Amino acid sequence: MYLHNTMFRLPVILSLSLMLAACASAPGDRTAATQQEPAAQAAEPPETVTAEPEPPERAIPADSLYPLLLAEFALRRRAYDVALAQYMEQAPLLRDPAVSAHTTHLTQFLQREQEALEAVRLWVELEPDNVEANKTLATLLVRQGQTSQALSHLALVQRESGNANFAILAHGFDQLAPEEQQRLLSRVEALGQEFPDSSQLLLCQALMHEELGQYRLARARLERLFALEPHQHQALLLEAKILLSEEAEQPFAHIEQVLLDNPDDQRLRLQYARLLTRGDIHKAREQFEILSANAPGDADLLFSLALINQELGDNLTARAYLRQMLDLGKRQDDAHYYLGRIAEQEGEKEAAIKEYQAVQDGREFYSATARAGQLLLEQGQFDAYGAYFDRLREEHVTRGERLFNLESELLIRAGHPSGAMVVLNEALEILPESSSLRYARSMLGEQMDNLALMEADLRAIIAAEPDNATALNALGYTLADRTTRYEEALELITRALALQPDEPAILDSMGWVLFRQGRLEEAVEYLTRAYTRFPDPEVAAHLGEVLWAQGDTEAALNVWQGALLKQPDHKVLRETLQRLGVDSLQTLPTEP
């Protein structure tokens, strides 16, 4: 936190001090601009301060002094948004390179990309030959998808410093239209005459040719690059990727030779190992073992080895690596989760529950919680199940809503809807404003044929969130499907569709309510749109039923058959066929 406070203080304090000094010594409202240090390099002023060179004077509006001081005080208070607003306003008024540079640094620190782009454009306008400004602008333009505009700025960086990162131009190249790709590639190739010895430019050319499938041209650029930088990592990996695409016999020969010559190049070895995981898992394990032997305390390498060995079916070795992670005290949640996976795979359910319950945080937290909960339910340990979720909510207060949802969902899956209802009732007493919990209870109410509860909960959500398309659609569809209140259903679904015109679920609901009203042609139109966007068996059931009602039995059978081939046991689809008296076993084969 202290670093955040000091990151921008020194440049601003120096600038403002010099401004104020100039105002005191020069006639009128004149002050001085000083060259700023980059924000990321700011530090506390040294104890011994040498005399500053006399700054050049230039007129600065008196009205700007207060906003700049306000920005400085805001930085001291860590009110970064206030400071940024002042700098964004003052930079174009002052048109001072140092102020624009400082504004750019502040926007980058705050990760405010749009403001950063605006600030650095002004900086480049004021200092057209500034390498840092042009480099920053080029990077931001590429991130914004304005790759062609970035090229001229990178060319300037190359002329001034000889160190332009042309390879960033390949970022997003695959998203460009074919004609844009060709135009950009032509411009990049043309720069080769000006910068024939730029390895980054050659790499950029190779990346673009590879993306276009022009492997011969890509390899030609890489050969020239290797003459300049024989061990360039990205080029070595790109060459291997091309050779893999061409099904070469030894696509990794070059990388392997470089590693023989430079066995301590851990970064290249790691990239090579990761590349191998996509095709040759055994060789990948060999490389990770070498890496781990050189860095035995690296938990990331141990974790990779554990996953690789598990995939290869060597659970004993995988467990050993995961326990090493626990011994090191690193990535413990990952270790416990995968130890649980292995224990469950081997039928050791109690051990699996113990490992899953040891996961306290991280990306696998909810997965581990779900697996532990499901295993407890499978073994009939309902008291332990409830106590487990109670404990988790006490330990993770901010996760209470999601944990209630998960607890009820697992009970529903396990065939205990009444238990899930008890959980959701308790949850809504504690979190009455939670629309997700109320929605979950409404869906459970519908499942348990408690339509009054379902409607009450959905109407409560809609009252609080009038634009909640999900709730509007759910209530509208249920009224259309389970009651004869078709006009109410149509009004609700119409509102939902206005909010999300292309949502397949809402299109399906609209088609279904129109069918219920006897408007078959309109119903087919909506259901066809829904099925085109989302070929789900339930949508197929609806579309087929409307076609069947129209007398177009062939079209209906085709729709149903296509859906059954994907999901032969889909409940709604099978119930529809049974209700309509269609002999699914004979008329509709369930195998291709």
Side-chain angles (χ1 to χ4, degrees):
M1 296 302 292
Y2 182 71
L3 176 61
H4 292 178
N5 190 37
T6 60
M7 182 170 285
F8 304 106
R9 282 181 57 193
L10 181 57
V12 181
I13 292 171
L14 292 175
S15 296
L16 292 176
S17 299
L18 291 169
M19 285 180 182
L20 294 172
C23 287
S25 60
D29 294 322
R30 301 178 63 81
T31 185
T34 63
Q35 181 67 36
Q36 279 183 290
E37 298 175 11
Q41 297 176 358
E44 289 295 317
E47 294 182 3
T48 304
V49 181
T50 58
E52 293 286 342
E54 188 70 21
E57 293 185 5
R58 77 174 187 81
I60 289 184
D63 290 345
S64 293
L65 291 178
Y66 175 74
L68 290 175
L69 285 169
L70 176 61
E72 162 59 12
F73 293 134
L75 287 175
R76 290 185 180 186
R77 298 194 311 271
R78 298 174 185 161
Y80 297 126
D81 287 340
V82 174
L84 179 59
Q86 296 299 321
Y87 278 115
M88 292 297 295
E89 179 181 342
Q90 290 302 311
L93 296 175
L94 294 172
R95 296 186 64 79
D96 181 271
V99 173
S100 292
H102 184 65
T103 305
T104 301
H105 294 145
L106 182 55
T107 59
Q108 290 179 291
F109 171 71
L110 297 177
Q111 298 181 356
R112 301 277 285 272
E113 200 156 287
Q114 286 300 128
E115 289 93 334
L117 189 59
E118 180 182 341
V120 77
R121 281 188 190 278
L122 178 59
W123 186 9
V124 169
E125 180 185 337
L126 298 171
E127 288 190 314
D129 296 331
N130 186 291
V131 170
E132 182 191 352
N134 279 277
K135 186 183 297 185
T136 302
L137 178 55
T139 301
L140 289 171
L141 287 170
V142 170
R143 287 181 186 169
Q144 294 284 323
Q146 302 175 47
T147 309
S148 296
Q149 295 182 35
L151 186 58
S152 60
H153 298 286
L154 287 171
L156 184 143
V157 171
Q158 184 67 23
R159 293 186 195 104
E160 296 294 325
S161 69
N163 191 31
N165 183 17
F166 285 109
I168 64 170
L169 295 171
H171 178 74
F173 184 72
D174 60 330
Q175 302 299 315
L176 299 176
E179 58 273 14
E180 291 181 81
Q181 290 179 329
Q182 291 298 333
R183 280 197 297 270
L184 180 58
L185 178 57
S186 296
R187 292 179 61 196
V188 169
E189 290 283 10
L191 281 179
Q193 298 179 9
E194 183 178 357
F195 309 119
D197 296 329
S198 169
S199 59
Q200 279 292 305
L201 183 59
L202 289 166
L203 177 59
C204 178
Q205 294 169 351
L207 287 165
M208 290 180 174
H209 283 302
E210 186 273 334
E211 178 62 37
L212 295 173
Q214 300 168 353
Y215 298 145
R216 182 181 60 81
L217 292 172
R219 283 190 282 105
R221 302 299 180 273
L222 290 174
E223 286 176 12
R224 289 170 53 193
L225 190 158
F226 288 132
L228 298 168
E229 291 188 47
H231 300 161
Q232 216 278 357
H233 290 181
Q234 196 171 353
L236 288 165
L237 295 167
L238 179 60
E239 181 188 48
K241 182 181 177 183
I242 292 170
L243 292 172
L244 281 170
S245 299
E246 294 179 327
E247 298 183 350
E249 289 187 7
Q250 295 182 313
F252 305 118
H254 195 172
I255 293 178
E256 290 168 353
Q257 184 58 54
V258 170
L259 287 173
L260 282 174
D261 297 338
N262 302 273
D264 295 331
D265 191 337
Q266 299 295 87
R267 181 165 167 264
L268 177 60
R269 192 179 297 280
L270 178 59
Q271 292 171 321
Y272 175 42
R274 288 172 175 166
L275 184 61
L276 287 169
T277 58
R278 303 174 190 174
D280 192 335
I281 196 72
H282 291 279
K283 291 187 72 173
R285 177 168 63 178
E286 291 176 8
Q287 295 302 317
F288 274 111
E289 285 172 346
I290 295 171
L291 287 162
S292 185
N294 291 328
D298 190 322
D300 293 335
L301 296 175
L302 292 171
F303 187 49
S304 296
L305 281 166
L307 295 184
I308 288 171
N309 279 283
Q310 184 185 10
E311 185 172 339
L312 290 173
D314 188 352
N315 286 339
L316 183 63
T317 302
R319 273 177 161 157
Y321 284 122
L322 292 168
R323 288 186 176 125
Q324 283 187 55
M325 292 165 59
L326 293 177
D327 291 340
L328 290 169
K330 297 177 180 178
R331 298 193 65 164
Q332 294 195 336
D333 289 320
D334 288 326
H336 282 301
Y337 177 72
Y338 281 94
L339 282 169
R341 290 277 299 270
I342 292 171
E344 186 177 0
Q345 181 182 344
E346 297 187 346
E348 302 168 5
K349 293 188 176 182
E350 289 296 336
I353 291 170
K354 182 179 179 181
E355 295 293 352
Y356 287 139
Q357 290 184 335
V359 176
Q360 295 298 311
D361 206 348
R363 61 184 177 181
E364 306 294 356
F365 174 77
Y366 290 107
S367 295
T369 301
R371 294 306 308 147
Q374 183 171 330
L375 289 173
L376 287 169
L377 290 175
E378 287 176 1
Q379 298 186 92
Q381 299 182 41
F382 296 103
D383 290 340
Y385 176 85
Y388 173 50
F389 276 95
D390 287 341
R391 175 174 64 79
L392 287 177
R393 281 188 288 271
E394 289 178 5
E395 295 174 354
H396 305 276
V397 177
T398 59
R399 293 175 171 176
E401 181 179 24
R402 187 165 177 183
L403 287 168
F404 271 124
N405 269 315
L406 180 57
E407 182 181 3
S408 62
E409 182 182 335
L410 291 173
L411 284 165
I412 293 169
R413 283 190 209 164
H416 303 287
S418 57
M421 184 62 75
V422 170
V423 170
L424 289 171
N425 288 337
E426 177 190 349
L428 283 165
E429 287 182 8
I430 298 170
L431 300 166
E433 304 301 319
S434 170
S435 59
S436 70
L437 289 169
R438 196 166 294 281
Y439 184 81
R441 189 173 72 173
S442 74
M443 294 297 97
L444 181 56
E446 191 273 340
Q447 180 182 327
M448 298 175 71
D449 291 324
N450 189 343
L451 298 188
L453 175 63
M454 178 221 68
E455 183 172 355
D457 276 340
L458 289 177
R459 290 201 182 279
I461 294 171
I462 293 167
E465 304 170 21
D467 292 337
N468 189 317
T470 300
L472 288 165
N473 180 60
L475 181 55
Y477 175 77
T478 304
L479 291 178
D481 190 55
R482 303 286 299 273
T483 77
T484 58
R485 294 157 61 185
Y486 301 140
E487 289 301 323
E488 289 180 66
L490 180 61
E491 187 271 333
L492 290 161
I493 296 167
T494 299
R495 286 170 59 186
L497 196 60
L499 293 165
Q500 296 183 15
D502 297 318
E503 171 55 45
I506 304 176
L507 291 169
D508 174 65
S509 297
M510 179 60 79
W512 195 239
V513 72
L514 290 170
F515 168 63
R516 291 293 202 184
Q517 291 181 316
R519 299 157 65 177
L520 302 188
E521 290 186 7
E522 294 172 83
V524 167
E525 178 186 344
Y526 280 102
L527 290 168
T528 300
R529 287 171 58 193
Y531 194 57
T532 300
R533 288 171 170 77
F534 183 53
D536 176 76
E538 185 167 349
V539 181
H542 293 161
L543 176 57
E545 182 163 353
V546 179
L547 291 169
W548 188 270
Q550 282 185 316
D552 193 348
T553 56
E554 182 178 356
L557 291 172
N558 286 336
V559 171
W560 288 330
Q561 180 170 326
L564 281 172
L565 290 175
K566 295 178 182 177
Q567 294 192 42
D569 299 320
H570 192 273
K571 181 180 178 182
V572 173
L573 184 52
R574 286 293 178 184
E575 287 177 351
T576 299
L577 297 175
Q578 184 178 9
R579 176 165 47 81
L580 295 176
V582 178
D583 186 350
S584 59
L585 295 177
Q586 295 180 14
T587 309
L588 301 176
T590 58
E591 295 295 334

